[in-house]
Amino acid sequence: MKLNLQIQDKYTWLIKEKPCVISGPCSVESEKQVLKTVQAISKSGKVNIIRGGIWKPRTRPNSFEGIGEIGLKWLKDAGRAVNLPVATEVANAEHVEACLKNEIDILWIGARTTVSPFAVQEIADALKGIDIPVFVKNPINPDFNLWIGALERINAAGINKIGAIHRGFSSFDKSSYRNLPMWELPIELKMICPDLPIICDPSHIAGSKDLIFQVAQKAMDMEMDGVMIESHIHPSDAKSDAEQQLTPEELITLLNQLQVRKSGCNNEEFTNNLEQLRIVIDELDEELINKFASRMAIIEKIGTYKKENEVTILQIERWEKILKNRTFLAEKVGLSNDFIKKMLELLHQESIRIQTEIMNKK
Ligand code: PEP
Ligand code: MN
């Protein structure tokens, strides 16, 4: 499949030199906070676009929901002070109008909005006839078509300065990331639409300061066009996402450490492609390990129940059912019978070992 979008060449409106760096606070909180943050981060000469959230879509009620329209002026003034364009998140037509009134330069659609075609269409309708760059963050769940659908709706409204933001995907499983990167999704997007700029948002993937560099470096190694990283003059006072915002100094150190490898020449291209695929493998293996851990935690619960109810560990009908059902599922997705059987045997052996340990506990 190819994604047919009308895109203006990214080097004419977005990228001077890779990476394109978007930074600023998660939320605009006060005139002083945004100005001080912006002045400090722009000193590096490495920030290209200032970000700041004005309306914050919070998962749970009773948290800071954004300063509202007044903040647009503070954001724009801060951008003017350092001569940089400013970007913010919009979730409905009213937001779009307020941004245009306040001369906000770039808009983005947040992960919780991309999931709603009605909301995306409302934004697209409000953007008809307007020439402004728009980024679409991936939806919170790993639904590739929702991401593409939102890009198509915005593009169909006539927006051709368009890009995607990869901010990771939420998961019920425990993980060291706030949102799983699932690099295979942005890679797929790159494959079906090579001209579309893709910016990685390591802040929302990592969720904590210490993982941001690693994610940003991976994004660079996968030839993403840039990074969106949250920064705050006093992260510990931040009204949203305090754990993941960097101080201006931390941001500058990170940007100085980022290695941007060139792609291009023949042999290098092969090496880069290989490296990208290996990064995906690393990521998938990590997910597999996390899944194994979740599976074994359930096995422990089962073992305890069986012990309490004096039931045997091995239930042969259950094991037969598992084998039959999993080989059927595996065949459907093209995995070899032999491989899945070996894999299941191993899992089963380990489950039995864990349950035996529980049974033997005094
Ligand atoms: C944000 O950028 O602050 C934000 C709310 O991001 P997301 O939509 O990715 O959760
Ligand atoms: Mn945030």
PDB file of all heavy atoms in Angstrom, residues 60-90:
ATOM      1  N   ARG A  60      -7.359  11.623  33.453  1.00  0.00           N
ATOM      2  CA  ARG A  60      -8.234  11.621  34.626  1.00  0.00           C
ATOM      3  C   ARG A  60      -8.636  13.056  34.966  1.00  0.00           C
ATOM      4  O   ARG A  60      -7.863  13.986  34.739  1.00  0.00           O
ATOM      5  CB  ARG A  60      -7.485  11.014  35.819  1.00  0.00           C
ATOM      6  CG  ARG A  60      -6.875   9.650  35.562  1.00  0.00           C
ATOM      7  CD  ARG A  60      -7.886   8.534  35.678  1.00  0.00           C
ATOM      8  NE  ARG A  60      -8.539   8.497  36.973  1.00  0.00           N
ATOM      9  CZ  ARG A  60      -8.033   7.880  38.051  1.00  0.00           C
ATOM     10  NH1 ARG A  60      -6.882   7.269  37.971  1.00  0.00           N
ATOM     11  NH2 ARG A  60      -8.700   7.893  39.182  1.00  0.00           N
ATOM     12  N   PRO A  61      -9.877  13.247  35.480  1.00  0.00           N
ATOM     13  CA  PRO A  61     -10.293  14.614  35.840  1.00  0.00           C
ATOM     14  C   PRO A  61      -9.523  15.135  37.055  1.00  0.00           C
ATOM     15  O   PRO A  61      -8.785  14.391  37.693  1.00  0.00           O
ATOM     16  CB  PRO A  61     -11.780  14.447  36.161  1.00  0.00           C
ATOM     17  CG  PRO A  61     -11.950  13.016  36.527  1.00  0.00           C
ATOM     18  CD  PRO A  61     -10.880  12.236  35.803  1.00  0.00           C
ATOM     19  N   ASN A  62      -9.745  16.413  37.338  1.00  0.00           N
ATOM     20  CA  ASN A  62      -9.142  17.077  38.494  1.00  0.00           C
ATOM     21  C   ASN A  62      -7.626  17.222  38.409  1.00  0.00           C
ATOM     22  O   ASN A  62      -6.946  17.299  39.415  1.00  0.00           O
ATOM     23  CB  ASN A  62      -9.505  16.370  39.823  1.00  0.00           C
ATOM     24  CG  ASN A  62     -10.998  16.220  39.972  1.00  0.00           C
ATOM     25  OD1 ASN A  62     -11.735  17.130  39.615  1.00  0.00           O
ATOM     26  ND2 ASN A  62     -11.447  15.059  40.427  1.00  0.00           N
ATOM     27  N   SER A  63      -7.087  17.226  37.186  1.00  0.00           N
ATOM     28  CA  SER A  63      -5.684  17.617  37.048  1.00  0.00           C
ATOM     29  C   SER A  63      -5.693  18.931  36.249  1.00  0.00           C
ATOM     30  O   SER A  63      -6.740  19.332  35.731  1.00  0.00           O
ATOM     31  CB  SER A  63      -4.858  16.572  36.290  1.00  0.00           C
ATOM     32  OG  SER A  63      -5.589  15.419  36.016  1.00  0.00           O
ATOM     33  N   PHE A  64      -4.533  19.510  36.132  1.00  0.00           N
ATOM     34  CA  PHE A  64      -4.415  20.790  35.418  1.00  0.00           C
ATOM     35  C   PHE A  64      -4.832  20.618  33.952  1.00  0.00           C
ATOM     36  O   PHE A  64      -4.238  19.822  33.233  1.00  0.00           O
ATOM     37  CB  PHE A  64      -2.957  21.266  35.511  1.00  0.00           C
ATOM     38  CG  PHE A  64      -2.674  22.535  34.770  1.00  0.00           C
ATOM     39  CD1 PHE A  64      -3.298  23.738  35.131  1.00  0.00           C
ATOM     40  CD2 PHE A  64      -1.781  22.546  33.701  1.00  0.00           C
ATOM     41  CE1 PHE A  64      -3.014  24.908  34.451  1.00  0.00           C
ATOM     42  CE2 PHE A  64      -1.492  23.720  33.018  1.00  0.00           C
ATOM     43  CZ  PHE A  64      -2.115  24.900  33.391  1.00  0.00           C
ATOM     44  N   GLU A  65      -5.854  21.346  33.536  1.00  0.00           N
ATOM     45  CA  GLU A  65      -6.364  21.123  32.169  1.00  0.00           C
ATOM     46  C   GLU A  65      -5.943  22.215  31.197  1.00  0.00           C
ATOM     47  O   GLU A  65      -6.537  22.375  30.134  1.00  0.00           O
ATOM     48  CB  GLU A  65      -7.876  20.941  32.207  1.00  0.00           C
ATOM     49  CG  GLU A  65      -8.206  19.687  33.008  1.00  0.00           C
ATOM     50  CD  GLU A  65      -9.585  19.115  32.803  1.00  0.00           C
ATOM     51  OE1 GLU A  65     -10.520  19.899  32.620  1.00  0.00           O
ATOM     52  OE2 GLU A  65      -9.695  17.874  32.834  1.00  0.00           O
ATOM     53  N   GLY A  66      -4.900  22.924  31.566  1.00  0.00           N
ATOM     54  CA  GLY A  66      -4.358  23.926  30.647  1.00  0.00           C
ATOM     55  C   GLY A  66      -4.801  25.319  31.044  1.00  0.00           C
ATOM     56  O   GLY A  66      -5.853  25.511  31.648  1.00  0.00           O
ATOM     57  N   ILE A  67      -3.980  26.297  30.679  1.00  0.00           N
ATOM     58  CA  ILE A  67      -4.229  27.691  31.081  1.00  0.00           C
ATOM     59  C   ILE A  67      -5.306  28.322  30.189  1.00  0.00           C
ATOM     60  O   ILE A  67      -5.927  29.306  30.549  1.00  0.00           O
ATOM     61  CB  ILE A  67      -2.887  28.479  31.050  1.00  0.00           C
ATOM     62  CG1 ILE A  67      -2.962  29.748  31.863  1.00  0.00           C
ATOM     63  CG2 ILE A  67      -2.445  28.796  29.620  1.00  0.00           C
ATOM     64  CD1 ILE A  67      -2.799  29.486  33.328  1.00  0.00           C
ATOM     65  N   GLY A  68      -5.521  27.744  29.015  1.00  0.00           N
ATOM     66  CA  GLY A  68      -6.548  28.266  28.105  1.00  0.00           C
ATOM     67  C   GLY A  68      -6.016  29.396  27.234  1.00  0.00           C
ATOM     68  O   GLY A  68      -4.813  29.687  27.215  1.00  0.00           O
ATOM     69  N   GLU A  69      -6.961  30.054  26.540  1.00  0.00           N
ATOM     70  CA  GLU A  69      -6.623  30.974  25.443  1.00  0.00           C
ATOM     71  C   GLU A  69      -5.603  32.056  25.804  1.00  0.00           C
ATOM     72  O   GLU A  69      -4.764  32.410  24.976  1.00  0.00           O
ATOM     73  CB  GLU A  69      -7.916  31.606  24.909  1.00  0.00           C
ATOM     74  CG  GLU A  69      -7.708  32.232  23.551  1.00  0.00           C
ATOM     75  CD  GLU A  69      -9.000  32.631  22.854  1.00  0.00           C
ATOM     76  OE1 GLU A  69     -10.047  32.008  23.126  1.00  0.00           O
ATOM     77  OE2 GLU A  69      -8.932  33.573  22.035  1.00  0.00           O
ATOM     78  N   ILE A  70      -5.641  32.553  27.023  1.00  0.00           N
ATOM     79  CA  ILE A  70      -4.690  33.598  27.440  1.00  0.00           C
ATOM     80  C   ILE A  70      -3.240  33.166  27.180  1.00  0.00           C
ATOM     81  O   ILE A  70      -2.381  33.974  26.836  1.00  0.00           O
ATOM     82  CB  ILE A  70      -4.909  33.982  28.931  1.00  0.00           C
ATOM     83  CG1 ILE A  70      -3.889  35.030  29.424  1.00  0.00           C
ATOM     84  CG2 ILE A  70      -4.800  32.782  29.876  1.00  0.00           C
ATOM     85  CD1 ILE A  70      -4.184  36.412  29.002  1.00  0.00           C
ATOM     86  N   GLY A  71      -2.989  31.865  27.324  1.00  0.00           N
ATOM     87  CA  GLY A  71      -1.628  31.344  27.151  1.00  0.00           C
ATOM     88  C   GLY A  71      -1.108  31.447  25.723  1.00  0.00           C
ATOM     89  O   GLY A  71       0.113  31.425  25.494  1.00  0.00           O
ATOM     90  N   LEU A  72      -2.014  31.560  24.772  1.00  0.00           N
ATOM     91  CA  LEU A  72      -1.571  31.640  23.366  1.00  0.00           C
ATOM     92  C   LEU A  72      -0.720  32.890  23.152  1.00  0.00           C
ATOM     93  O   LEU A  72       0.271  32.869  22.420  1.00  0.00           O
ATOM     94  CB  LEU A  72      -2.780  31.655  22.420  1.00  0.00           C
ATOM     95  CG  LEU A  72      -3.565  30.341  22.338  1.00  0.00           C
ATOM     96  CD1 LEU A  72      -4.842  30.538  21.510  1.00  0.00           C
ATOM     97  CD2 LEU A  72      -2.715  29.230  21.717  1.00  0.00           C
ATOM     98  N   LYS A  73      -1.137  33.967  23.786  1.00  0.00           N
ATOM     99  CA  LYS A  73      -0.404  35.228  23.637  1.00  0.00           C
ATOM    100  C   LYS A  73       0.980  35.096  24.284  1.00  0.00           C
ATOM    101  O   LYS A  73       1.984  35.497  23.704  1.00  0.00           O
ATOM    102  CB  LYS A  73      -1.203  36.373  24.283  1.00  0.00           C
ATOM    103  CG  LYS A  73      -0.544  37.732  24.117  1.00  0.00           C
ATOM    104  CD  LYS A  73      -1.411  38.829  24.689  1.00  0.00           C
ATOM    105  CE  LYS A  73      -0.680  40.123  25.008  1.00  0.00           C
ATOM    106  NZ  LYS A  73       0.693  40.265  24.638  1.00  0.00           N
ATOM    107  N   TRP A  74       1.018  34.480  25.459  1.00  0.00           N
ATOM    108  CA  TRP A  74       2.313  34.298  26.153  1.00  0.00           C
ATOM    109  C   TRP A  74       3.251  33.444  25.307  1.00  0.00           C
ATOM    110  O   TRP A  74       4.443  33.721  25.207  1.00  0.00           O
ATOM    111  CB  TRP A  74       2.114  33.612  27.498  1.00  0.00           C
ATOM    112  CG  TRP A  74       1.198  34.325  28.450  1.00  0.00           C
ATOM    113  CD1 TRP A  74       0.852  35.651  28.412  1.00  0.00           C
ATOM    114  CD2 TRP A  74       0.506  33.750  29.559  1.00  0.00           C
ATOM    115  NE1 TRP A  74      -0.008  35.935  29.424  1.00  0.00           N
ATOM    116  CE2 TRP A  74      -0.238  34.801  30.160  1.00  0.00           C
ATOM    117  CE3 TRP A  74       0.456  32.485  30.122  1.00  0.00           C
ATOM    118  CZ2 TRP A  74      -1.040  34.590  31.288  1.00  0.00           C
ATOM    119  CZ3 TRP A  74      -0.335  32.269  31.249  1.00  0.00           C
ATOM    120  CH2 TRP A  74      -1.071  33.314  31.813  1.00  0.00           C
ATOM    121  N   LEU A  75       2.651  32.398  24.716  1.00  0.00           N
ATOM    122  CA  LEU A  75       3.461  31.493  23.894  1.00  0.00           C
ATOM    123  C   LEU A  75       4.007  32.231  22.674  1.00  0.00           C
ATOM    124  O   LEU A  75       5.205  32.159  22.355  1.00  0.00           O
ATOM    125  CB  LEU A  75       2.590  30.298  23.459  1.00  0.00           C
ATOM    126  CG  LEU A  75       3.235  29.233  22.589  1.00  0.00           C
ATOM    127  CD1 LEU A  75       4.372  28.526  23.325  1.00  0.00           C
ATOM    128  CD2 LEU A  75       2.190  28.180  22.139  1.00  0.00           C
ATOM    129  N   LYS A  76       3.120  32.959  22.009  1.00  0.00           N
ATOM    130  CA  LYS A  76       3.534  33.682  20.790  1.00  0.00           C
ATOM    131  C   LYS A  76       4.580  34.751  21.133  1.00  0.00           C
ATOM    132  O   LYS A  76       5.584  34.905  20.429  1.00  0.00           O
ATOM    133  CB  LYS A  76       2.307  34.304  20.109  1.00  0.00           C
ATOM    134  CG  LYS A  76       2.613  35.034  18.818  1.00  0.00           C
ATOM    135  CD  LYS A  76       3.094  34.099  17.726  1.00  0.00           C
ATOM    136  CE  LYS A  76       3.673  34.882  16.552  1.00  0.00           C
ATOM    137  NZ  LYS A  76       4.239  34.018  15.524  1.00  0.00           N
ATOM    138  N   ASP A  77       4.349  35.468  22.246  1.00  0.00           N
ATOM    139  CA  ASP A  77       5.308  36.518  22.643  1.00  0.00           C
ATOM    140  C   ASP A  77       6.679  35.901  22.943  1.00  0.00           C
ATOM    141  O   ASP A  77       7.716  36.467  22.596  1.00  0.00           O
ATOM    142  CB  ASP A  77       4.812  37.271  23.882  1.00  0.00           C
ATOM    143  CG  ASP A  77       3.668  38.230  23.533  1.00  0.00           C
ATOM    144  OD1 ASP A  77       3.446  38.460  22.321  1.00  0.00           O
ATOM    145  OD2 ASP A  77       2.991  38.721  24.463  1.00  0.00           O
ATOM    146  N   ALA A  78       6.672  34.731  23.588  1.00  0.00           N
ATOM    147  CA  ALA A  78       7.947  34.064  23.907  1.00  0.00           C
ATOM    148  C   ALA A  78       8.655  33.673  22.613  1.00  0.00           C
ATOM    149  O   ALA A  78       9.868  33.857  22.465  1.00  0.00           O
ATOM    150  CB  ALA A  78       7.690  32.840  24.784  1.00  0.00           C
ATOM    151  N   GLY A  79       7.905  33.159  21.664  1.00  0.00           N
ATOM    152  CA  GLY A  79       8.481  32.802  20.366  1.00  0.00           C
ATOM    153  C   GLY A  79       9.061  34.028  19.666  1.00  0.00           C
ATOM    154  O   GLY A  79      10.172  33.990  19.120  1.00  0.00           O
ATOM    155  N   ARG A  80       8.308  35.141  19.732  1.00  0.00           N
ATOM    156  CA  ARG A  80       8.781  36.386  19.096  1.00  0.00           C
ATOM    157  C   ARG A  80      10.080  36.846  19.747  1.00  0.00           C
ATOM    158  O   ARG A  80      10.998  37.304  19.062  1.00  0.00           O
ATOM    159  CB  ARG A  80       7.717  37.481  19.242  1.00  0.00           C
ATOM    160  CG  ARG A  80       6.597  37.337  18.233  1.00  0.00           C
ATOM    161  CD  ARG A  80       5.873  38.685  18.019  1.00  0.00           C
ATOM    162  NE  ARG A  80       4.838  38.543  17.019  1.00  0.00           N
ATOM    163  CZ  ARG A  80       3.530  38.501  17.294  1.00  0.00           C
ATOM    164  NH1 ARG A  80       3.104  38.608  18.545  1.00  0.00           N
ATOM    165  NH2 ARG A  80       2.649  38.351  16.327  1.00  0.00           N
ATOM    166  N   ALA A  81      10.158  36.702  21.064  1.00  0.00           N
ATOM    167  CA  ALA A  81      11.339  37.173  21.799  1.00  0.00           C
ATOM    168  C   ALA A  81      12.613  36.480  21.322  1.00  0.00           C
ATOM    169  O   ALA A  81      13.703  37.044  21.403  1.00  0.00           O
ATOM    170  CB  ALA A  81      11.146  36.957  23.293  1.00  0.00           C
ATOM    171  N   VAL A  82      12.479  35.253  20.832  1.00  0.00           N
ATOM    172  CA  VAL A  82      13.689  34.533  20.408  1.00  0.00           C
ATOM    173  C   VAL A  82      13.664  34.244  18.900  1.00  0.00           C
ATOM    174  O   VAL A  82      14.496  33.504  18.380  1.00  0.00           O
ATOM    175  CB  VAL A  82      13.861  33.199  21.186  1.00  0.00           C
ATOM    176  CG1 VAL A  82      14.093  33.457  22.658  1.00  0.00           C
ATOM    177  CG2 VAL A  82      12.666  32.273  20.979  1.00  0.00           C
ATOM    178  N   ASN A  83      12.642  34.814  18.263  1.00  0.00           N
ATOM    179  CA  ASN A  83      12.538  34.712  16.803  1.00  0.00           C
ATOM    180  C   ASN A  83      12.357  33.265  16.318  1.00  0.00           C
ATOM    181  O   ASN A  83      13.002  32.835  15.367  1.00  0.00           O
ATOM    182  CB  ASN A  83      13.790  35.355  16.186  1.00  0.00           C
ATOM    183  CG  ASN A  83      13.529  35.774  14.761  1.00  0.00           C
ATOM    184  OD1 ASN A  83      12.368  35.892  14.363  1.00  0.00           O
ATOM    185  ND2 ASN A  83      14.592  35.950  13.971  1.00  0.00           N
ATOM    186  N   LEU A  84      11.497  32.543  17.027  1.00  0.00           N
ATOM    187  CA  LEU A  84      11.217  31.164  16.617  1.00  0.00           C
ATOM    188  C   LEU A  84       9.706  30.950  16.489  1.00  0.00           C
ATOM    189  O   LEU A  84       8.926  31.568  17.220  1.00  0.00           O
ATOM    190  CB  LEU A  84      11.766  30.173  17.649  1.00  0.00           C
ATOM    191  CG  LEU A  84      13.284  29.971  17.675  1.00  0.00           C
ATOM    192  CD1 LEU A  84      13.675  29.050  18.831  1.00  0.00           C
ATOM    193  CD2 LEU A  84      13.808  29.418  16.350  1.00  0.00           C
ATOM    194  N   PRO A  85       9.304  30.084  15.551  1.00  0.00           N
ATOM    195  CA  PRO A  85       7.879  29.776  15.426  1.00  0.00           C
ATOM    196  C   PRO A  85       7.382  28.963  16.619  1.00  0.00           C
ATOM    197  O   PRO A  85       8.167  28.257  17.260  1.00  0.00           O
ATOM    198  CB  PRO A  85       7.812  28.937  14.137  1.00  0.00           C
ATOM    199  CG  PRO A  85       9.179  28.395  13.945  1.00  0.00           C
ATOM    200  CD  PRO A  85      10.145  29.362  14.587  1.00  0.00           C
ATOM    201  N   VAL A  86       6.077  29.078  16.891  1.00  0.00           N
ATOM    202  CA  VAL A  86       5.519  28.367  18.048  1.00  0.00           C
ATOM    203  C   VAL A  86       4.422  27.393  17.608  1.00  0.00           C
ATOM    204  O   VAL A  86       3.733  27.614  16.620  1.00  0.00           O
ATOM    205  CB  VAL A  86       4.942  29.346  19.100  1.00  0.00           C
ATOM    206  CG1 VAL A  86       6.052  30.216  19.664  1.00  0.00           C
ATOM    207  CG2 VAL A  86       3.815  30.195  18.524  1.00  0.00           C
ATOM    208  N   ALA A  87       4.311  26.308  18.379  1.00  0.00           N
ATOM    209  CA  ALA A  87       3.348  25.253  18.039  1.00  0.00           C
ATOM    210  C   ALA A  87       2.529  24.873  19.261  1.00  0.00           C
ATOM    211  O   ALA A  87       3.030  24.885  20.389  1.00  0.00           O
ATOM    212  CB  ALA A  87       4.108  24.022  17.544  1.00  0.00           C
ATOM    213  N   THR A  88       1.280  24.523  19.036  1.00  0.00           N
ATOM    214  CA  THR A  88       0.461  24.023  20.141  1.00  0.00           C
ATOM    215  C   THR A  88      -0.534  22.981  19.653  1.00  0.00           C
ATOM    216  O   THR A  88      -0.738  22.805  18.448  1.00  0.00           O
ATOM    217  CB  THR A  88      -0.259  25.176  20.886  1.00  0.00           C
ATOM    218  OG1 THR A  88      -0.647  24.711  22.179  1.00  0.00           O
ATOM    219  CG2 THR A  88      -1.495  25.662  20.148  1.00  0.00           C
ATOM    220  N   GLU A  89      -1.140  22.306  20.626  1.00  0.00           N
ATOM    221  CA  GLU A  89      -2.102  21.240  20.311  1.00  0.00           C
ATOM    222  C   GLU A  89      -3.516  21.800  20.195  1.00  0.00           C
ATOM    223  O   GLU A  89      -3.939  22.596  21.019  1.00  0.00           O
ATOM    224  CB  GLU A  89      -2.064  20.177  21.428  1.00  0.00           C
ATOM    225  CG  GLU A  89      -3.170  19.152  21.291  1.00  0.00           C
ATOM    226  CD  GLU A  89      -3.144  18.062  22.368  1.00  0.00           C
ATOM    227  OE1 GLU A  89      -2.119  17.928  23.078  1.00  0.00           O
ATOM    228  OE2 GLU A  89      -4.149  17.341  22.479  1.00  0.00           O
ATOM    229  N   VAL A  90      -4.231  21.350  19.165  1.00  0.00           N
ATOM    230  CA  VAL A  90      -5.646  21.724  19.026  1.00  0.00           C
ATOM    231  C   VAL A  90      -6.492  20.455  19.040  1.00  0.00           C
ATOM    232  O   VAL A  90      -6.098  19.426  18.520  1.00  0.00           O
ATOM    233  CB  VAL A  90      -5.910  22.507  17.718  1.00  0.00           C
ATOM    234  CG1 VAL A  90      -5.306  23.886  17.779  1.00  0.00           C
ATOM    235  CG2 VAL A  90      -5.405  21.745  16.482  1.00  0.00           C
TER     236      VAL A  90
END
